[in-house]
Amino acid sequence: KWVPERCETTFDDDGNPLVSTGTVQDISILKGVEETLRESEARFRAIAESIMIPTVITRKTDGEIMFANPITEELLGVSAEDLIGRKGGQNWNDPDDRIRFVKELEAKGRIDFMEIETRRPGRNDLRTVLVSAQEIIYQNEPSVISTSIDVTDLRTAEKIARESNERLSRVMAIAPDAVIAVDGDFRIRIFNQGAEKVFGYSGKEIIGEELNILLPERFRQHHNNNIRGFLNSPDDSRLMSSRSEIHGF
């Protein structure tokens, strides 16, 4: 049993004790809860330190970092030990992101994949991360646990792909030959100047329409079968001349 004692003694004028009164309270349940919390936090730390996603816990009242797992060093360039006591979000490139983060957390109690640009100390390169956060109680204090997923390489690849597609679109737009591209539902998504000259439609008129609008009725089913056959074949591409004759108007 855990029992804190409090005692008060009354003395006479000569300093002799006359009477003592005291209180005793059983706090075994409270101590048990505290021990359970300590064990729970120990298990949490063991899990958080082993996962390969940068994870940080900050105190909600002042924003100071209370915990950081080892993998966080790769993202921030600072050891987990040196991060303790620092303010969270100091490496964010845009100060307004901190305001946006706090407002959304206050409104929802959590954040899912907020895109943030971060900067490592002593380096000029920016990293793009997706930050998720959740309000928790840690070490008996209101806190925020947040994880960061580095998507810099993904965003770079997406940018390269967009620029490549834009260059390809510009080339196709001015190509003298008719170039038509359709989506999975056979709706026209690309219709270049060459196609406008061949078929007499403007791109504005035809984009979004079904490809069959360009084919005579009697050839539509046969053409659709040819396309499905190509899509189900192992070929990545095929010359028009290696397929059956195509008719359009």
Side-chain angles (χ1 to χ4, degrees):
K1 293 282 186 180
W2 287 86
V3 285
E5 253 182 73
R6 181 177 180 181
C7 181
E8 292 184 2
T9 301
T10 304
F11 297 89
D12 61 19
D13 294 339
D14 296 325
N16 300 311
L18 295 176
V19 63
S20 294
T21 59
T23 58
V24 177
Q25 182 181 5
D26 187 349
I27 60 169
S28 300
I29 294 178
L30 177 60
K31 287 294 183 181
V33 171
E34 290 176 349
E35 181 62 26
T36 300
L37 287 174
R38 280 194 295 271
E39 292 175 355
S40 177
E41 288 182 1
R43 287 194 296 270
F44 163 78
R45 290 178 68 92
I47 294 172
E49 288 176 354
S50 65
I51 62 176
M52 301 305 291
I53 299 176
T55 304
V56 171
I57 297 177
T58 54
R59 188 182 295 107
K60 192 174 179 182
T61 53
D62 57 15
E64 285 191 1
I65 296 174
M66 306 168 70
F67 168 84
N69 66 347
I71 196 68
T72 303
E73 181 176 352
E74 293 187 14
L75 178 65
L76 302 183
V78 181
S79 69
E81 292 80 7
D82 289 339
L83 284 172
I84 304 303
R86 296 191 182 189
K87 297 287 187 180
Q90 285 186 330
N91 64 313
W92 292 2
N93 188 54
D94 187 349
D96 289 341
D97 284 339
R98 180 67 185 173
I99 299 173
R100 183 164 59 99
F101 179 90
V102 171
K103 284 184 177 179
E104 185 165 333
L105 188 64
E106 289 292 340
K108 300 179 180 178
R110 60 178 296 135
I111 290 174
D112 296 311
F113 306 117
M114 177 180 288
E115 189 162 308
I116 302 289
E117 280 192 336
T118 66
R119 187 186 301 275
R120 294 179 59 164
R123 298 178 60 172
N124 292 324
D125 62 318
L126 293 177
R127 307 297 295 178
T128 302
V129 298
L130 298 180
V131 177
S132 298
Q134 174 76 54
E135 293 182 347
I136 63 169
I137 298 297
Y138 183 73
Q139 295 180 355
N140 296 324
E141 294 187 79
S143 307
V144 177
I145 181 171
S146 60
T147 59
S148 301
I149 301 175
D150 191 340
V151 294
T152 306
D153 294 340
L154 175 62
R155 291 292 183 261
T156 300
E158 289 174 343
K159 180 182 178 182
I160 292 172
R162 282 195 304 271
E163 292 173 349
S164 177
N165 287 335
E166 289 170 1
R167 288 194 296 270
L168 179 60
S169 296
R170 288 194 292 270
V171 171
M172 288 195 301
I174 62 174
D177 295 328
V179 178
I180 303 170
V182 297
D183 60 18
D185 296 323
F186 299 150
R187 292 191 176 275
I188 298 170
R189 296 306 176 196
I190 295 176
F191 198 79
N192 75 337
Q193 294 177 9
E196 290 179 345
K197 293 177 181 178
V198 170
F199 292 98
Y201 290 97
S202 69
K204 185 178 294 187
E205 291 177 292
I206 207 72
I207 296 297
E209 296 291 339
E210 292 186 1
L211 181 62
N212 280 341
I213 197 175
L214 302 177
L215 304 173
E217 181 70 35
R218 65 184 184 277
F219 296 118
R220 291 179 180 177
Q221 188 58 50
H222 179 63
H223 185 257
N224 289 343
N225 290 339
N226 284 340
I227 293 180
R228 290 192 179 91
F230 169 69
L231 293 175
N232 293 326
S233 75
D235 299 334
D236 292 327
S237 62
R238 188 184 298 170
L239 292 173
M240 295 283 285
S241 59
S242 67
R243 300 191 309 216
S244 59
E245 195 173 89
I246 296 175
H247 302 265
F249 56 61

